[in-house]
Amino acid sequence: MIAKTYGLLFVIVCSAAFASSLPFSSSAHVSPAALDMQTDPNTALSRGRSLLKQGHADQALSYLETALNLFTQTNNTRGIAAAQDALGDLYMIQGQDKVALDHYRKAYDSFVAARGKDQTDQAAASSLASRAGSTANAATQTAASVVDNGYNANLMLAKIGDANYRLGHLSEAGSAYLMMSVKRPETAAAKATRRLGGLGAIGAIMTTGRPSVEAPTSAATGLLETKKELDDYRVAIVYMTYELGLGRLAFANNDLETARKHFQNALEAGSGALPVVANLGQTRRFRAAARTSLGDVALRQARYKDAAKMFTDAASGAQKDARLDLMWPAQRGLGRSLWLQAAQEKDAAKMREQALNAYREALKSIETIRAGSLRADESRTTFLATTKDVYDEAASAFAETALLNSPAGNALSGKALDYAAESFKITEAGRARSLLDMLGEVNAQITEGVPADLLKRKQDNLNRQQEIAEQLTGISLSGDQKQKPADLEKELDKLQTEFDEIENQIRAGSPRYAALTGAQPLTLAETQQKVLDDGTVLLEYSLGNDTSYAFAVTQSGVSLFKLPPRSNIDKLATDFRAQLIPPKLQRRIVGIDVVAEQQRGLGLVEGPSENLTAFVAASNALYRAAVEPASNSFGDKRLLVVADGALNYIPFEALVRSTDGADYASLSYLIKSNEIVYAPSASVVAAIRQSGNKPSGKNLLAVADPIFSSDDSRVKGKAGVPAAAEARGLGLGLESAVNDVAGEPTAAGGLRLARLVGTRVEAEEIGKIAKSNGSQADLWIDLNASEDNLRSRDVTNYRIIHVATHGLLDAERPQFTGVVLSLVGNKDNDGFLRTDEIFNLRLGAPLVMLSACETGLGKEKRGEGVIGLTRAFMYAGAPTVGVSLWSVADKSTADLMADFYRRLLGPASSNSASVAMRAAQLGLISGKKYSAPFYWAPFVIVGDWR
């Protein structure tokens, strides 16, 4: 993957412009028989695209494949191309990059073939019209088709270039961009210097250079004017996409002068365009991107004053263009430029304050962008800098300013406390926004708790916005454009205003939805009042590219500590994990094998490494870097940890305070002195408590030992069992998650998940413990351990829901995080319960325990994997979630879980989940046999500890 660079343009021109597509959803699968009845390929294509945008990718795949087959049968090259393009979008969103690129290339080839055919037809039509003395309508329509296919072919090349760029294949990206056939848009000045003979010049753009046979009839004049306006718009879009694409490639290669020229060309094309083109939305969008990218070039060249001026101009330009939603990258660039320039100035304090104000303005701009809207998609895909970059930089700048006003480690007061409080609030807001952006990447439809009528209005609104986006800048199929782009833009602006109004109504009617999507984060003072108690200290991390920070917050005071950069912390965390998990198992973190193992899924045949010295060194190194600076603030109190980056995937309990200790049992683990609980953010804990959800009763549900393959012996001989998910064309999202977590591609022969035999024993044992303590225990195993059951049956009366199956915590692409249930026997779901789907469960208020989750730390170490999964269960009703950070062998897990549930459910027990888990873990440590952290440390408790 290519490294992120501040503010650089990130353009995606796609078939459904600006539309995010989704991983496979829970919607009902479309039967082949139903699709066989579908005889109109255009309808199938449209339906498939619509389903993809709504998140129903399983259904979309069936429709799109049907459309492709039908177009192929009639040799409709244009239809074939459009279907291939849509399939490319589907596979790209599912993480199947090579398959997606193959579809995009086939779409390009088909559009080229269609253009060649249209050119032949055009010549014949023109000749026939001339001989017959008829109007030029037929020739004009064919000419328009030539232009459409040429435009479509350019779009596909841009998409191929962009996809390769994001995958880090810079050479392939450059080749695709250079194959584009571009034309510099006509400028207003050029038009003023020549005579325009009515509409006769339209033919010069629509045809291969020949004028039209004769003036069009009055009936066709309006359509030609509309077509001319649309074609001018598309010429500008293609040209600016080309220049911006080549500019970012040069920027990535550090060829800054070439990058500057390309960005300048794009800006000039957008600024000098004909008024009817210059005022349209995407021209304004690309202008903002070009201006900001020119600032990025100056910033990388350390020309901070020049960069500040360029970013100021870019923000001003976006404001004049009425694209306030695209101001934040320029405002962020201004903040960054001023902050770096301050280090070179005598009056540094004044300039730093100006930088902080720029960051404040950037954050205000981001807050106006509604998650799930087209504007959010544009904001996410236009610039390489993400909104998370803004939150991270701003939080770091305010934290640094706080420390400049107070010595590190001391309790903060006065101005230092004010700056720290602002940094803390930005950090909390950034966590919430990061989760929303992750859900936006998959266009997650949060439906639980939302009134049905408002949900329908919202979806209808978004559907129409997408239709307009396709008409303006997407793949053109019909060539029948009856509305001028300017009119479509007006309708789009109106729809976006209505979308905001609908979103406000939803938030007003659903406090839970509002808490997720629109609530203001807690302030420091509110955190001290609403979240903390006398015995709890909040340890919240904010990792930055240059410097990281840790907040230590008690009910009565706040301390702030400077830590090493994110890259250093991530490496220490990764090194620590490498010592936690047996070396021979590090490559196969997830239990994937052609033959099902009898062990829990890892095929564990040996214990952890006996290299105690290496473990202690790695553990203590991370402790000293990330925890020890704040140790005087918490003593032996409970720690509420809000982690960041790779810290989300390590158990703080297993960090050691010193290097003393002769064996694993005698080490000075942090768990021996402190109870430790985790949270997605401090604000989430407050939201949980405000909702009033508290576990009650003693009923327990255990879901375990699902069936992953249709050739499982448990399936044979059972009539009426649907085929495995993979055989139904599903499972691409699951395959991507497995590949990410395993760190290697799926083996030839398809996806095979190992059966977790031990989870059956685990669930049965937990059930016995529950019953012995007067609880009702229900077990869903085999085919009953299904997504269908979890989504359709009433599970609101359980105090505990224990899920023992493969959980995939994807740190590289967190949108693929989820829980794998039975892949066989589902009628309405695919068996892979992803994070975005968990948000729509209705669970009551149980403790949810996920006992076989496994993590893959790729190049990117995004915390949204575990954060999103736990936050989703909390939104569904669970105030507390237990999750494993890696999967463990049977016996130790069985012992730990049995002890945990005895302590939690015992007749005299008043233990919370965190207290019970800590006691069970300390029991394994003292028992010597399973004292290595590999056995006891993966299980962490997230959420409310009360």
Side-chain angles (χ1 to χ4, degrees), residues 9 92 157 207 228 344 433 553 597 607:
L9 177 84
M92 184 61 74
L157 287 172
T207 69
K228 173 65 166 63
Q344 304 173 351
R433 187 75 198 196
V553 185
E597 300 279 359

Side-chain angles (χ1 to χ4, degrees), residues 522-597:
L522 291 186
T523 63
L524 257 178
E526 289 169 336
T527 299
Q528 291 171 309
Q529 296 163 9
K530 298 180 180 181
V531 176
L532 301 177
D533 52 44
D534 286 338
T536 306
V537 176
L538 169 66
L539 196 58
E540 181 154 346
Y541 291 89
S542 176
L543 304 187
N545 291 329
D546 301 321
T547 309
S548 301
Y549 300 89
F551 295 89
V553 185
T554 68
Q555 274 195 321
S556 59
V558 180
S559 298
L560 181 62
F561 305 91
K562 183 183 289 190
L563 305 179
R566 174 187 294 271
S567 58
N568 294 30
I569 297 288
D570 281 353
K571 184 179 186 306
L572 288 171
T574 304
D575 290 346
F576 176 47
R577 272 186 61 96
Q579 293 300 324
L580 279 168
I581 303 172
K584 291 185 179 180
L585 300 178
Q586 288 170 18
R587 187 177 62 83
R588 289 170 54 244
I589 296 176
V590 74
I592 305 162
D593 232 322
V594 176
V595 180
E597 300 279 359

Side-chain angles (χ1 to χ4, degrees), residues 30-31 100 224 228 235 241 247 260 300 369 372 377 414 469 504 506 543 561 646 733 749 778 784 824:
V30 181
S31 68
L224 282 170
K228 173 65 166 63
V235 166
T241 299
R260 187 196 64 78
R300 180 174 283 191
I369 304 171
D377 288 332
N504 286 335
I506 293 174
L543 304 187
F561 305 91
D778 295 330
N784 283 324
V824 181

Side-chain angles (χ1 to χ4, degrees), residues 230-254:
L230 182 62
D231 287 340
D232 284 343
Y233 191 22
R234 287 176 169 175
V235 166
I237 287 172
V238 168
Y239 180 80
M240 286 188 283
T241 299
Y242 167 83
E243 290 291 349
L244 290 167
L246 290 177
R248 66 182 178 180
L249 287 176
F251 191 95
N253 287 316
N254 213 36

Side-chain angles (χ1 to χ4, degrees), residues 406-478:
S406 176
N410 292 353
L412 301 177
S413 61
K415 289 185 67 176
L417 180 59
D418 292 340
Y419 285 120
E422 195 159 359
S423 175
F424 178 84
K425 190 172 183 180
I426 292 169
T427 299
E428 285 280 302
R431 294 180 193 283
R433 187 75 198 196
S434 184
L435 176 60
L436 291 178
D437 286 345
M438 186 269 285
L439 293 173
E441 289 176 29
V442 298
N443 200 14
Q445 306 289 315
I446 306 299
T447 59
E448 179 58 30
V450 179
D453 60 327
L454 291 177
L455 194 63
K456 184 179 186 305
R457 284 178 57 198
K458 178 180 177 180
Q459 190 59 59
D460 290 345
N461 178 289
L462 282 175
N463 286 344
R464 179 55 185 155
Q465 288 193 51
Q466 296 289 359
E467 288 174 6
I468 293 174
E470 289 175 6
Q471 286 179 271
L472 287 171
T473 54
I475 293 294
S476 171
L477 271 186
S478 67

Side-chain angles (χ1 to χ4, degrees), residues 327-380:
M327 289 179 64
W328 65 265
Q331 292 163 330
R332 182 244 116 223
L334 177 60
R336 181 70 174 165
S337 301
L338 291 171
W339 184 263
L340 293 172
Q341 188 182 343
Q344 304 173 351
E345 300 290 327
K346 291 183 179 179
D347 192 3
K350 180 179 179 181
M351 188 161 286
R352 277 197 296 268
E353 195 60 44
Q354 292 173 340
L356 297 180
N357 285 331
Y359 279 123
R360 289 186 181 106
E361 293 301 315
L363 293 170
K364 285 180 183 177
S365 296
I366 290 171
E367 289 168 6
T368 66
I369 304 171
R370 300 285 192 179
S373 66
L374 278 181
R375 289 284 168 88
D377 288 332
E378 291 181 6
S379 183
R380 188 172 60 251

Side-chain angles (χ1 to χ4, degrees), residues 581-665:
I581 303 172
K584 291 185 179 180
L585 300 178
Q586 288 170 18
R587 187 177 62 83
R588 289 170 54 244
I589 296 176
V590 74
I592 305 162
D593 232 322
V594 176
V595 180
E597 300 279 359
Q598 291 302 305
Q599 283 74 25
R600 187 178 182 79
L602 286 171
L604 186 68
V605 293
E606 62 174 282
S609 169
E610 293 304 317
N611 191 345
L612 182 68
T613 303
F615 167 78
V616 170
S619 177
N620 185 245
L622 181 57
Y623 174 80
R624 284 187 284 108
V627 180
E628 188 175 56
S631 59
N632 289 335
S633 302
F634 57 78
D636 60 357
K637 292 184 177 182
R638 178 188 298 109
L639 286 178
L640 173 62
V641 176
V642 177
D644 195 10
L647 293 178
N648 282 286
Y649 301 99
I650 63 102
F652 279 60
E653 290 88 340
L655 295 175
V656 295
R657 292 174 175 270
S658 72
T659 56
D660 298 334
D663 55 23
Y664 282 112

